[in-house]
Every structure is written in structure tokens, then in C-alpha cells.
Amino acid sequence: MDRPWTIARTTGPAPAAGLSRRRCIEALALLAAGPVAAQRPAGPVATSGRLWRAGPGQRLATLRAAVAAAGAGDTIELLPGRYRADVAVVAQARLTLRGLGRGAVFEAAGRSAEDKAILVVRGDVTVENCSFRGARVPAGNGAGIRFERGRLTVRRCRFFDNEMGLLANNDPTQELVVEDCAFGAAPRHEGLLHHLLYVGAIGSFTLSGSRFGQGWRGHLVKTRALRNRILYNRLDDGPDGEASYELEFPNGGDNLVLGNVIVQSPRSQNPALLSMGAEARDGMQGRLVLAHNTLVNLGDEHGRFVHLWAERLQGEPSVRSADNLFVGPGDATGFDAGKDGNRHVGLDALRDAAHGDDRLVAASSLAGRAVALPADETPRFEFQAPAGTRPLPPGLRLSPGALQRSG
């Protein structure tokens, strides 16, 4: 129903000869079909308040009508289908918007709420199993969702071809959680930067089980949040992607990056995969814990796995790096490759990096060689394509990098 980015990279076993294109299309089509199974408890579902049903053939035919009718604590269930030019502002507390079946697809079709987004959120809101496409506004930052106040949870949603996939304001009381989502297909507008996910200076941001790709000049993920938890995602720009950073913390912040696969396209607009502190000012500080990630540079030797702008941060930034794989050509200086379980290896250390199988080769000498880390830096899940996570078996001997299971 929704169209994912067209790249030929998947996570998992390398496809057999002659079947790679078909299997890649099938895997990505799962994103288009609708929800993906969550691989961990999704948390409590709101049960208080009234239940509203909206969509084709219903008394409330549009999201906008349903939001106008709903109150605090209510749930709006959206029938599967396409909702064209159906935009809304949500300000109710504890409101849940849930797409049913294959999901609700919101196509901007030239419309926006308050010249900002398809959906503007000002409250404690949960959005599940919805797609947002084609947001355009005069300022050039039209978002699938514009988050302006409260606590927002976005689960199993898809954001494609928006000027900003999801855009959050700069209120330190805001909290944002994004789980098992897909972001892609940045528009190509000269003179503008379109980030797939752009988080302002909010209080906390958690991103897990989500997939990003096909950026253009903007970043895949840019977050100014005071506290960031980036867990078990796949940030892979794809062979035709031209994003700048794959992951950026421009203000510094308190950052845990655990269990992610981060892949830079050979057509990237910036040699660094991850950056912290590039826009720091006014005493901003930075802390980075980088553990059990697989960072892959598919470009040339000018690549840089991590760029710390220490000179722009107040004091010496706190950095801990352990059990990461830095894969391919490029500079891993300062991240103790060869110490604390970190390894800088060639592309041939992975099964098929060019086609997205970023597991260690069979019988790798690195298998099971991770160093022991504190519990909060030890992965309990890993990313599972097309989006989501799966739990790691108890007692598994861990290897450096993000991907632990062989199948």
C-alpha cells in the first residue's frame, strides 16, 4: 500500500545467485504492506475512554473529523486505505491513533495542518501503523508529523517522500519514542536540507528497531535532544542515497548508541557516518557511549567513522567505545580499534556488505570475542528486517558488532 525506498540492501543471509533483486523487493514490500511485528513488548495499550472508528464508509470518514470528535484518553481506529489531503492538529491528552490491518496511508496531496505537517501533535499521543507521504509546505520543512508538545510515541509507522519525515520542536519537557518505523525517499530540492528524522532540543529521544535510507544532502537522523538512546536500528543510505551524516548529535548531549548497523553510501555528501558537537555552543557538553555497533563505509579512504567536535563542546567530551566493528576504508582514530573489543576490519570480514548482509563471515575469528560490558551497554536485541527487533538468546556468547545471530 505504501511504497518503500528502492534499494537492494537487506539484513540477513545473502540471497542466492539470480534471486537477489526479487528477494530484496519482497523484503522491502513487507514495509509497504503495513505493520511489522514488534519483537519486544510494545507497552500498555490505552483502554480507557471511548473508541472511535474512522475511514471509508464510516460516519467519521476522515481523520480530521475523528480528531474533532475525540476527547482525552480516547482511541481512534483508522480503517485501511488512502486518506488524501486529510490533515489534522491533535491536542488531546492520551489520544491513540491506530491504523488497522494494512494501515492507514496519509497522502498530503498539497494540504497541510497550519502550514506545518500532515499531523501536528500537541499532547501525550500514540500513533501506530500509519504512513505519511508527500508533506510540502512553503517553508520547505513540511513533516509527516510535527511534534510540538507533550509525549509522543510512534510505533510501526512509515514516512516517505516528506520534506521532513518527523520534526520535533525545542521544548525540553518533550519526550519522543520511535519504535519499529521506516523512513526514506527524501525529496531532492536544490537549496534545501531534508532530514528523514529531525529532533529539536527536547528532553529525551529513544529510537529503536527502525530503518532509514535514501537520503539526500540532509541527514538520516539528526537529534538535538538532551538525552538520546539509539538502539538496534539500521541506518543504511543504500547505493543511491546521498545523505550527509547517517547519525548526528549536533548539540552534544547524553548519547547511548547500542546495537545499530550504520552504513554510509559511496555517494554520501559527508565523509563521517556519526557526528557529535558540530553545532555546540553556550556551554553544551557531550557524552557518547558507542557499543556493539557495525559501522560500514562503502566509500573511499576519506571516510570517517566518527567525528567528535571536541573543540566546540565545553570540557573534554566523555566517550566510551567498546565491541564495535568499523568496517571498510576510513579513519577510526580515537576509538581504540583493537582495544575494548573494537575492531577495524575490511569489507571482506562481512558476508556480503555490498548487498546488506553485514554479519561476520562464517567461522570468523572474531565470533564470540566481545569483551564483557555493563548491563546497560550489553545488547539484548538486534535489528530484524524489514523493521523491528528480535531478542538475543540468553547466554549467547557475543561478538563485536550489532548482528549476533547467524540466521
Side-chain angles (χ1 to χ4, degrees):
M1 177 166 294
D2 193 12
R3 185 180 299 278
W5 60 85
T6 54
I7 62 175
R9 294 180 60 81
T10 60
T11 298
L19 292 179
S20 60
R21 179 176 176 82
R22 189 187 75 187
R23 289 188 180 180
C24 290
I25 291 173
E26 289 172 352
L28 290 172
L30 292 175
L31 286 173
V36 292
Q39 301 299 320
R40 60 187 172 284
V45 175
T47 57
S48 61
R50 296 167 295 178
L51 177 65
W52 304 85
R53 182 68 59 88
Q58 301 296 304
R59 181 177 65 86
L60 299 173
T62 64
L63 170 65
R64 185 169 184 170
V67 168
D74 289 358
T75 296
I76 298 173
E77 292 185 339
L78 297 153
L79 294 181
R82 295 190 179 275
Y83 295 73
R84 288 180 56 81
D86 189 0
V87 302
V89 176
V90 177
Q92 297 93 326
R94 305 182 311 283
L95 187 71
T96 297
L97 306 177
R98 181 179 301 127
L100 300 177
R102 294 169 62 86
V105 179
F106 293 95
E107 298 177 344
R111 295 288 302 278
S112 65
E114 300 181 343
D115 280 340
K116 295 176 180 176
I118 296 172
L119 186 67
V120 176
V121 173
R122 302 188 188 111
D124 297 341
V125 173
T126 298
V127 183
E128 298 178 344
N129 190 25
C130 293
S131 297
F132 300 88
R133 296 188 61 90
R136 304 286 190 274
V137 301
N141 62 353
I145 296 178
R146 176 76 170 262
F147 174 40
E148 296 190 337
R149 187 165 60 245
R151 187 181 194 278
L152 172 63
T153 298
V154 181
R155 190 176 291 131
R156 301 188 301 280
C157 289
R158 293 146 314 263
F159 299 81
F160 292 95
D161 187 32
N162 302 291
E163 291 175 325
M164 301 283 180
L166 192 157
L167 178 60
N169 271 18
N170 293 301
D171 182 346
T173 68
Q174 289 178 239
E175 300 179 18
L176 173 63
V177 176
V178 176
E179 297 177 349
D180 304 346
C181 292
F183 293 76
R188 301 192 170 208
H189 297 156
E190 288 292 342
L192 295 175
L193 294 178
H194 300 309
H195 308 304
L196 296 186
L197 198 163
Y198 188 3
V199 180
I202 67 173
S204 70
F205 169 50
T206 300
L207 174 67
S208 64
S210 296
R211 181 165 181 161
F212 294 77
Q214 205 176 16
W216 190 74
R217 299 193 179 178
H219 309 321
L220 300 187
V221 177
K222 179 171 184 172
T223 170
R224 301 180 187 272
L226 300 176
R227 182 178 186 271
N228 297 283
R229 297 297 179 261
I230 311 299
L231 312 171
Y232 319 121
N233 303 283
R234 185 174 187 90
L235 282 63
D236 179 354
D237 205 21
D240 298 323
E242 297 183 40
S244 185
Y245 298 127
E246 278 61 51
L247 176 60
E248 187 192 19
F249 306 110
N251 292 11
D254 180 357
N255 310 307
L256 171 63
V257 181
L258 172 64
N260 302 275
V261 178
I262 304 176
V263 184
Q264 184 176 70
S265 163
R267 302 179 64 179
S268 173
Q269 299 291 309
N270 193 304
L273 283 75
L274 187 157
S275 170
M276 184 176 79
E279 301 173 36
R281 54 182 174 78
D282 299 333
M284 293 176 177
Q285 299 178 330
R287 175 179 179 268
L288 175 64
V289 175
L290 194 69
H292 277 285
N293 301 282
T294 299
L295 294 89
V296 183
N297 175 30
L298 295 178
D300 58 25
E301 68 277 6
H302 300 293
R304 188 171 186 173
F305 290 98
V306 181
H307 191 170
L308 294 180
W309 301 77
E311 70 279 8
R312 301 186 181 182
L313 293 162
Q314 182 179 39
E316 186 70 19
S318 171
V319 178
R320 174 171 170 76
S321 174
D323 288 330
N324 300 288
L325 284 178
F326 301 100
V327 185
D331 183 4
T333 302
F335 286 84
D336 298 323
K339 299 179 183 179
D340 296 326
N342 294 307
R343 297 291 189 273
H344 190 181
V345 297
L347 295 170
D348 58 358
L350 305 183
R351 298 194 183 191
D352 190 356
H355 295 92
D357 189 350
D358 296 308
R359 296 172 298 162
L360 290 168
V361 296
S364 170
S365 62
L366 298 179
R369 299 288 299 278
V371 301
L373 298 177
D376 60 351
E377 299 174 14
T378 301
R380 295 183 296 112
F381 301 88
E382 69 177 11
F383 178 82
Q384 178 169 274
T389 62
R390 60 180 179 178
L392 297 176
L396 180 69
R397 292 185 60 187
L398 298 177
S399 304
L403 302 178
Q404 303 295 327
R405 294 172 55 165
S406 60

